[in-house]
Amino acid sequence: MKPEHIAEMKARARNIVLSVAYDGTAYHGFQRQTPPVTAVQNILEEKLQLVFGDSIELAAAGRTDAGVHAYGQVVNFFTNGTIPVSRIVRAVNSLLPSDIVVKAAAETDADFSARHSATSKVYLYRMQQGETPDPLRARYVWHERRPLDLFRMRQALDCIRGTHDFSAFRASGGAPMSPVRTMYEAVLQERPDHLLEFRLHGNGFLYHMVRNLIGTIADVGLGRLSLEEFQQILASRDRQNASATAPARGLYLYEVHYAGRDLFSFP
Amino acid sequence: MKPEHIAEMKARARNIVLSVAYDGTAYHGFQRQTPPVTAVQNILEEKLQLVFGDSIELAAAGRTDAGVHAYGQVVNFFTNGTIPVSRIVRAVNSLLPSDIVVKAAAETDADFSARHSATSKVYLYRMQQGETPDPLRARYVWHERRPLDLFRMRQALDCIRGTHDFSAFRASGGAPMSPVRTMYEAVLQERPDHLLEFRLHGNGFLYHMVRNLIGTIADVGLGRLSLEEFQQILASRDRQNASATAPARGLYLYEVHYAGRDLFSFP
């Protein structure tokens, strides 16, 4: 947005923030696209305009790629619409398709930005290891037939905890920002339904960083890379050395944190 | 099939049995349809013909409706194809779309029929109760916003255990077979992921019987029907008295049992 346009938007009476979940399979990512290509943002803005009565421009915490899912995407927008906060969730959900759902809504101060106020994010990545893929999970996991060494993958995750230059896991298409990020949490759990679930909590993520990390850590789990080689790839800061990008369908934007703000109070 | 056609098929050298899982969302049910309408059977037969080299006609344990899923559908077919049993699963799965998967294959005697030899079946039905539906489960559960009384729903399930005339829960489109069935198990569990899961194990199921039962039991859970009224509906043997059919997307054909036969030996 141009500065004068931002000022115009901020002059509106209310700043509304939403928590949104979606199945990303049918969409070309979150960020608005030119029709007939459809992104989650196109659908959300169209339905919010019907509910609020003015043109809506969303800012989002994370720009998920095509096929990536979200449990807790956070968006905000400025509006003069008068619908009470308590009625927003049902009103918007009654218009949305079944693969996009607003989980919660709140009104916040004009300075809040879902994107710029975010202090950290949690991404999940889910894999199914087994002889045959589960067709009921085909849209939601990366299937790997061969055995994965969980102990070795957890050792690799230990290497990325803390503050590092993650250039080796950054796709070339990203914005030219600093490649240094801090990873607070990097764990791998076996869920009761036997899926493997990676959980990465960091103060920021570079373009394709989670999927490039998972692709490389999977190679550690398959024995194609040693732990020492993984450490060398991280230290090299060269994308050429890392493995192929893991598929979008296993990735979930799970939570966005805003330090010092309690945006949503659930009953 | 006409009798002479059955004889022709049985004259083939091998009777192959498969365990098949699928996401039924994209298909007009299991049973073969005339193109361009596509059923799971159309896809399976097309791919099996490529692997086995002769025309394939499947018999299936259960004819699931459009949108109904399966974890353990069982099918069999006669063939002169020579591919070893140990290679069938990978060969067929390499050709199938990601929403249909062959889980296991075996060779059996000529008298076995996936449909007629079945002695009992297990269906699951999954509901999500909560304020907002989960968009990542939209294809796989029935969402109910209002609270459901699990104790009362379990009392209703207790009423259907044993041998009953289930005419009250039979859709008009079914074949004119006896409406008496025996329910060995009828339970409701809360899963670790908070979904509600009904499990019905019976020696047979009438057309739409599971979905009509679930629709009526949900009304018991919502307080729209008393337990006594539920018992009266069952005793009335009149479909007019039961509630609306529950949506197809929550239903799963989970297991098919063949007493005295151990079809698949998993490693």
Side-chain angles (χ1 to χ4, degrees):
Chain A
M1 281 194 245
K2 291 173 184 168
E4 64 271 24
H5 189 58
I6 294 174
E8 180 195 320
M9 282 290 161
K10 283 200 172 186
R12 290 182 173 182
R14 306 165 79 192
N15 187 3
I16 304 291
V17 53
L18 306 178
S19 169
V20 184
Y22 48 84
D23 176 337
T25 310
Y27 301 101
H28 286 260
F30 182 86
Q31 197 172 9
R32 193 194 304 128
Q33 301 289 318
T34 307
V37 180
T38 304
V40 176
Q41 186 172 2
N42 297 61
I43 307 287
L44 268 176
E45 290 179 343
E46 178 193 322
K47 304 311 180 190
L48 289 167
Q49 279 162 26
L50 294 174
V51 170
F52 286 88
D54 48 13
S55 70
I56 302 291
E57 289 194 33
L58 293 179
R63 295 181 177 179
T64 56
D65 282 330
V68 175
H69 315 292
Y71 282 112
Q73 170 75 284
V74 178
V75 302
N76 78 297
F77 58 95
F78 296 93
T79 180
N80 289 319
T82 55
I83 180 172
V85 164
S86 61
R87 297 206 191 140
I88 294 173
V89 170
R90 282 205 195 179
V92 183
N93 285 340
S94 72
L95 301 172
L96 285 170
S98 64
D99 53 6
I100 304 177
V101 169
V102 175
K103 291 163 64 186
E107 195 164 337
T108 183
D109 54 285
D111 287 339
F112 174 81
S113 159
R115 183 165 177 214
H116 300 292
S117 307
T119 47
S120 68
K121 288 177 204 158
V122 178
Y123 281 95
L124 304 181
Y125 196 94
R126 293 180 180 159
M127 291 185 76
Q128 185 215 339
Q129 193 280 316
E131 177 57 30
T132 54
D134 180 348
L136 292 150
R137 297 190 187 281
R139 299 151 65 103
Y140 306 109
V141 301
W142 182 20
H143 173 253
E144 174 54 57
R145 175 181 291 131
R146 293 156 294 182
L148 292 158
D149 186 328
L150 305 194
F151 181 75
R152 288 164 58 88
M153 290 198 288
R154 286 181 175 130
Q155 286 182 312
L157 288 166
D158 287 343
C159 297
I160 62 169
R161 217 169 290 153
T163 303
H164 302 278
D165 180 328
F166 284 98
S167 296
F169 303 101
R170 172 192 214 159
S172 49
M177 55 180 78
S178 161
V180 177
R181 292 290 182 277
T182 299
M183 213 53 54
Y184 305 120
E185 198 183 357
V187 296
L188 170 57
Q189 291 184 304
E190 287 181 272
R191 286 160 43 109
D193 56 9
H194 307 298
L195 293 185
L196 299 177
E197 185 172 271
F198 295 88
R199 181 186 167 94
L200 297 182
H201 179 196
N203 66 351
F205 292 85
L206 307 169
Y207 189 53
H208 279 189
M209 178 174 150
V210 179
R211 290 164 58 193
N212 288 340
L213 275 167
I214 299 297
T216 310
I217 291 169
D219 273 350
V220 173
L222 291 168
R224 286 172 175 165
L225 288 174
S226 68
L227 186 66
E228 196 173 33
E229 286 167 323
F230 180 80
Q231 290 170 311
Q232 286 164 0
I233 291 167
L234 175 62
S236 77
R237 294 179 284 165
D238 182 353
R239 173 67 186 94
Q240 303 291 323
N241 295 325
S243 305
T245 308
R249 61 181 177 275
L251 183 60
Y252 302 74
L253 174 54
Y254 186 65
E255 284 175 353
V256 185
H257 296 178
Y258 298 91
R261 289 180 192 258
D262 189 12
L263 291 172
F264 305 111
S265 52
F266 293 95
Chain B
M1 279 194 249
K2 291 173 186 165
E4 64 271 22
H5 189 56
I6 294 174
E8 180 194 319
M9 281 290 162
K10 284 200 171 184
R12 290 182 173 184
R14 306 166 79 194
N15 186 4
I16 304 291
V17 53
L18 306 177
S19 168
V20 184
Y22 48 85
D23 177 336
T25 310
Y27 301 101
H28 286 259
F30 183 86
Q31 197 172 10
R32 193 194 304 129
Q33 301 289 320
T34 307
V37 180
T38 303
V40 176
Q41 185 172 3
N42 295 61
I43 307 286
L44 267 175
E45 289 180 344
E46 177 193 322
K47 304 310 180 190
L48 289 167
Q49 278 163 26
L50 294 173
V51 169
F52 286 86
D54 47 14
S55 69
I56 302 291
E57 289 194 32
L58 292 179
R63 294 180 176 179
T64 57
D65 281 331
V68 174
H69 315 293
Y71 282 113
Q73 171 73 284
V74 178
V75 302
N76 78 297
F77 58 95
F78 296 92
T79 179
N80 288 319
T82 55
I83 181 173
V85 165
S86 62
R87 296 206 191 138
I88 294 173
V89 171
R90 283 207 195 177
V92 182
N93 284 338
S94 72
L95 301 172
L96 284 170
S98 63
D99 54 6
I100 305 176
V101 169
V102 174
K103 291 163 66 188
E107 196 166 336
T108 184
D109 54 284
D111 287 339
F112 174 81
S113 158
R115 184 164 178 215
H116 300 291
S117 306
T119 47
S120 69
K121 289 177 203 158
V122 178
Y123 281 93
L124 303 180
Y125 196 95
R126 292 181 181 158
M127 290 186 77
Q128 185 214 337
Q129 194 280 316
E131 178 55 31
T132 54
D134 180 348
L136 292 149
R137 297 190 188 282
R139 298 150 62 102
Y140 306 111
V141 300
W142 181 21
H143 172 255
E144 174 55 58
R145 176 181 290 133
R146 293 157 292 181
L148 292 159
D149 185 328
L150 305 195
F151 180 75
R152 289 164 57 88
M153 290 199 288
R154 286 180 175 129
Q155 286 183 311
L157 288 165
D158 286 344
C159 298
I160 62 168
R161 217 168 290 153
T163 303
H164 302 278
D165 180 329
F166 284 99
S167 295
F169 303 101
R170 172 194 213 158
S172 49
M177 55 179 78
S178 162
V180 177
R181 292 290 182 277
T182 299
M183 213 52 55
Y184 305 120
E185 199 183 354
V187 296
L188 169 58
Q189 291 184 305
E190 286 182 272
R191 287 160 44 109
D193 56 9
H194 307 299
L195 293 185
L196 298 178
E197 185 172 272
F198 295 87
R199 180 186 167 95
L200 299 181
H201 180 195
N203 67 349
F205 292 85
L206 306 170
Y207 189 52
H208 279 188
M209 177 173 149
V210 179
R211 290 164 58 194
N212 288 340
L213 276 167
I214 300 297
T216 311
I217 291 170
D219 272 350
V220 173
L222 291 168
R224 286 174 176 164
L225 288 175
S226 68
L227 187 66
E228 196 173 34
E229 285 168 321
F230 180 80
Q231 289 170 313
Q232 284 163 359
I233 291 167
L234 175 61
S236 77
R237 293 179 286 165
D238 182 354
R239 174 68 187 93
Q240 302 292 325
N241 296 324
S243 305
T245 309
R249 61 181 178 276
L251 184 60
Y252 302 73
L253 174 54
Y254 187 64
E255 283 174 352
V256 184
H257 297 179
Y258 298 91
R261 288 178 192 258
D262 188 13
L263 290 171
F264 305 110
S265 52
F266 294 95

mmCIF file of all heavy atoms in Angstrom, chain B residues 42-57 77 95:
data_model
loop_
_atom_site.group_PDB
_atom_site.id
_atom_site.type_symbol
_atom_site.label_atom_id
_atom_site.label_comp_id
_atom_site.label_asym_id
_atom_site.label_seq_id
_atom_site.Cartn_x
_atom_site.Cartn_y
_atom_site.Cartn_z
ATOM 1 N N ASN B 42 -14.684 -47.345 -11.440
ATOM 2 C CA ASN B 42 -14.181 -47.026 -12.784
ATOM 3 C C ASN B 42 -12.664 -46.878 -12.773
ATOM 4 O O ASN B 42 -11.963 -47.426 -13.628
ATOM 5 C CB ASN B 42 -14.768 -45.700 -13.289
ATOM 6 C CG ASN B 42 -16.260 -45.740 -13.492
ATOM 7 O OD1 ASN B 42 -16.987 -45.963 -12.543
ATOM 8 N ND2 ASN B 42 -16.721 -45.520 -14.710
ATOM 9 N N ILE B 43 -12.176 -46.106 -11.792
ATOM 10 C CA ILE B 43 -10.736 -45.820 -11.722
ATOM 11 C C ILE B 43 -9.961 -47.097 -11.411
ATOM 12 O O ILE B 43 -8.952 -47.408 -12.063
ATOM 13 C CB ILE B 43 -10.458 -44.772 -10.619
ATOM 14 C CG1 ILE B 43 -11.322 -43.524 -10.810
ATOM 15 C CG2 ILE B 43 -8.977 -44.441 -10.563
ATOM 16 C CD1 ILE B 43 -10.915 -42.635 -11.928
ATOM 17 N N LEU B 44 -10.444 -47.852 -10.428
ATOM 18 C CA LEU B 44 -9.734 -49.071 -10.029
ATOM 19 C C LEU B 44 -9.664 -50.069 -11.189
ATOM 20 O O LEU B 44 -8.593 -50.631 -11.468
ATOM 21 C CB LEU B 44 -10.454 -49.735 -8.855
ATOM 22 C CG LEU B 44 -9.998 -49.375 -7.438
ATOM 23 C CD1 LEU B 44 -10.918 -50.054 -6.427
ATOM 24 C CD2 LEU B 44 -8.541 -49.800 -7.202
ATOM 25 N N GLU B 45 -10.781 -50.296 -11.854
ATOM 26 C CA GLU B 45 -10.798 -51.269 -12.960
ATOM 27 C C GLU B 45 -9.872 -50.835 -14.091
ATOM 28 O O GLU B 45 -9.143 -51.648 -14.659
ATOM 29 C CB GLU B 45 -12.230 -51.469 -13.472
ATOM 30 C CG GLU B 45 -13.093 -52.241 -12.473
ATOM 31 C CD GLU B 45 -14.529 -52.462 -12.936
ATOM 32 O OE1 GLU B 45 -14.968 -51.771 -13.878
ATOM 33 O OE2 GLU B 45 -15.220 -53.309 -12.336
ATOM 34 N N GLU B 46 -9.878 -49.533 -14.386
ATOM 35 C CA GLU B 46 -9.018 -49.010 -15.458
ATOM 36 C C GLU B 46 -7.540 -49.283 -15.153
ATOM 37 O O GLU B 46 -6.779 -49.732 -16.017
ATOM 38 C CB GLU B 46 -9.283 -47.504 -15.596
ATOM 39 C CG GLU B 46 -8.427 -46.795 -16.605
ATOM 40 C CD GLU B 46 -8.552 -45.266 -16.436
ATOM 41 O OE1 GLU B 46 -9.648 -44.765 -16.146
ATOM 42 O OE2 GLU B 46 -7.502 -44.589 -16.573
ATOM 43 N N LYS B 47 -7.122 -49.038 -13.905
ATOM 44 C CA LYS B 47 -5.709 -49.202 -13.550
ATOM 45 C C LYS B 47 -5.337 -50.678 -13.402
ATOM 46 O O LYS B 47 -4.229 -51.094 -13.776
ATOM 47 C CB LYS B 47 -5.387 -48.455 -12.249
ATOM 48 C CG LYS B 47 -5.728 -46.966 -12.266
ATOM 49 C CD LYS B 47 -5.191 -46.224 -13.476
ATOM 50 C CE LYS B 47 -5.569 -44.744 -13.437
ATOM 51 N NZ LYS B 47 -5.272 -44.064 -14.705
ATOM 52 N N LEU B 48 -6.275 -51.482 -12.887
ATOM 53 C CA LEU B 48 -5.998 -52.913 -12.745
ATOM 54 C C LEU B 48 -5.842 -53.570 -14.114
ATOM 55 O O LEU B 48 -5.027 -54.485 -14.292
ATOM 56 C CB LEU B 48 -7.126 -53.595 -11.948
ATOM 57 C CG LEU B 48 -7.161 -53.251 -10.448
ATOM 58 C CD1 LEU B 48 -8.469 -53.713 -9.820
ATOM 59 C CD2 LEU B 48 -5.973 -53.885 -9.718
ATOM 60 N N GLN B 49 -6.618 -53.089 -15.103
ATOM 61 C CA GLN B 49 -6.493 -53.631 -16.457
ATOM 62 C C GLN B 49 -5.091 -53.382 -17.027
ATOM 63 O O GLN B 49 -4.534 -54.226 -17.739
ATOM 64 C CB GLN B 49 -7.563 -53.017 -17.372
ATOM 65 C CG GLN B 49 -8.903 -53.747 -17.208
ATOM 66 C CD GLN B 49 -10.092 -52.977 -17.732
ATOM 67 O OE1 GLN B 49 -9.948 -52.149 -18.616
ATOM 68 N NE2 GLN B 49 -11.261 -53.268 -17.194
ATOM 69 N N LEU B 50 -4.516 -52.217 -16.690
ATOM 70 C CA LEU B 50 -3.165 -51.917 -17.177
ATOM 71 C C LEU B 50 -2.137 -52.847 -16.524
ATOM 72 O O LEU B 50 -1.175 -53.266 -17.150
ATOM 73 C CB LEU B 50 -2.808 -50.454 -16.873
ATOM 74 C CG LEU B 50 -3.641 -49.402 -17.608
ATOM 75 C CD1 LEU B 50 -3.316 -48.017 -17.095
ATOM 76 C CD2 LEU B 50 -3.399 -49.490 -19.106
ATOM 77 N N VAL B 51 -2.370 -53.193 -15.263
ATOM 78 C CA VAL B 51 -1.403 -54.026 -14.535
ATOM 79 C C VAL B 51 -1.563 -55.501 -14.890
ATOM 80 O O VAL B 51 -0.580 -56.230 -15.012
ATOM 81 C CB VAL B 51 -1.565 -53.806 -13.010
ATOM 82 C CG1 VAL B 51 -0.768 -54.844 -12.222
ATOM 83 C CG2 VAL B 51 -1.143 -52.385 -12.633
ATOM 84 N N PHE B 52 -2.822 -55.967 -15.088
ATOM 85 C CA PHE B 52 -3.074 -57.396 -15.280
ATOM 86 C C PHE B 52 -3.205 -57.798 -16.745
ATOM 87 O O PHE B 52 -3.115 -58.963 -17.079
ATOM 88 C CB PHE B 52 -4.307 -57.832 -14.473
ATOM 89 C CG PHE B 52 -4.031 -57.910 -13.004
ATOM 90 C CD1 PHE B 52 -4.150 -56.794 -12.187
ATOM 91 C CD2 PHE B 52 -3.591 -59.097 -12.435
ATOM 92 C CE1 PHE B 52 -3.878 -56.854 -10.833
ATOM 93 C CE2 PHE B 52 -3.306 -59.177 -11.087
ATOM 94 C CZ PHE B 52 -3.441 -58.049 -10.285
ATOM 95 N N GLY B 53 -3.502 -56.829 -17.619
ATOM 96 C CA GLY B 53 -3.516 -57.151 -19.045
ATOM 97 C C GLY B 53 -4.792 -57.757 -19.569
ATOM 98 O O GLY B 53 -4.894 -58.041 -20.752
ATOM 99 N N ASP B 54 -5.790 -58.003 -18.707
ATOM 100 C CA ASP B 54 -7.090 -58.433 -19.222
ATOM 101 C C ASP B 54 -8.184 -57.540 -18.630
ATOM 102 O O ASP B 54 -7.921 -56.742 -17.732
ATOM 103 C CB ASP B 54 -7.367 -59.937 -18.973
ATOM 104 C CG ASP B 54 -7.058 -60.382 -17.553
ATOM 105 O OD1 ASP B 54 -6.875 -59.522 -16.673
ATOM 106 O OD2 ASP B 54 -6.999 -61.602 -17.331
ATOM 107 N N SER B 55 -9.399 -57.654 -19.163
ATOM 108 C CA SER B 55 -10.486 -56.794 -18.671
ATOM 109 C C SER B 55 -10.851 -57.230 -17.261
ATOM 110 O O SER B 55 -10.891 -58.427 -16.950
ATOM 111 C CB SER B 55 -11.699 -56.895 -19.585
ATOM 112 O OG SER B 55 -12.282 -58.167 -19.459
ATOM 113 N N ILE B 56 -11.086 -56.256 -16.397
ATOM 114 C CA ILE B 56 -11.301 -56.545 -14.980
ATOM 115 C C ILE B 56 -12.708 -56.133 -14.585
ATOM 116 O O ILE B 56 -13.173 -55.041 -14.930
ATOM 117 C CB ILE B 56 -10.288 -55.752 -14.112
ATOM 118 C CG1 ILE B 56 -8.833 -56.094 -14.482
ATOM 119 C CG2 ILE B 56 -10.545 -55.977 -12.624
ATOM 120 C CD1 ILE B 56 -8.384 -57.483 -14.126
ATOM 121 N N GLU B 57 -13.410 -57.012 -13.857
ATOM 122 C CA GLU B 57 -14.701 -56.657 -13.272
ATOM 123 C C GLU B 57 -14.640 -56.930 -11.787
ATOM 124 O O GLU B 57 -14.492 -58.070 -11.352
ATOM 125 C CB GLU B 57 -15.816 -57.484 -13.910
ATOM 126 C CG GLU B 57 -16.069 -57.062 -15.346
ATOM 127 C CD GLU B 57 -17.379 -57.627 -15.875
ATOM 128 O OE1 GLU B 57 -18.333 -57.798 -15.086
ATOM 129 O OE2 GLU B 57 -17.419 -57.907 -17.087
ATOM 130 N N PHE B 77 -11.435 -59.938 -7.948
ATOM 131 C CA PHE B 77 -11.635 -60.055 -9.403
ATOM 132 C C PHE B 77 -10.851 -61.260 -9.921
ATOM 133 O O PHE B 77 -9.868 -61.686 -9.313
ATOM 134 C CB PHE B 77 -11.178 -58.774 -10.115
ATOM 135 C CG PHE B 77 -9.735 -58.410 -9.864
ATOM 136 C CD1 PHE B 77 -8.735 -58.791 -10.759
ATOM 137 C CD2 PHE B 77 -9.371 -57.688 -8.734
ATOM 138 C CE1 PHE B 77 -7.412 -58.448 -10.529
ATOM 139 C CE2 PHE B 77 -8.040 -57.353 -8.494
ATOM 140 C CZ PHE B 77 -7.063 -57.729 -9.397
ATOM 141 N N LEU B 95 -0.111 -46.143 -10.391
ATOM 142 C CA LEU B 95 -1.012 -45.643 -11.438
ATOM 143 C C LEU B 95 -2.228 -44.893 -10.881
ATOM 144 O O LEU B 95 -2.851 -44.102 -11.586
ATOM 145 C CB LEU B 95 -1.516 -46.823 -12.291
ATOM 146 C CG LEU B 95 -0.454 -47.650 -13.001
ATOM 147 C CD1 LEU B 95 -1.086 -48.881 -13.647
ATOM 148 C CD2 LEU B 95 0.260 -46.814 -14.056
#
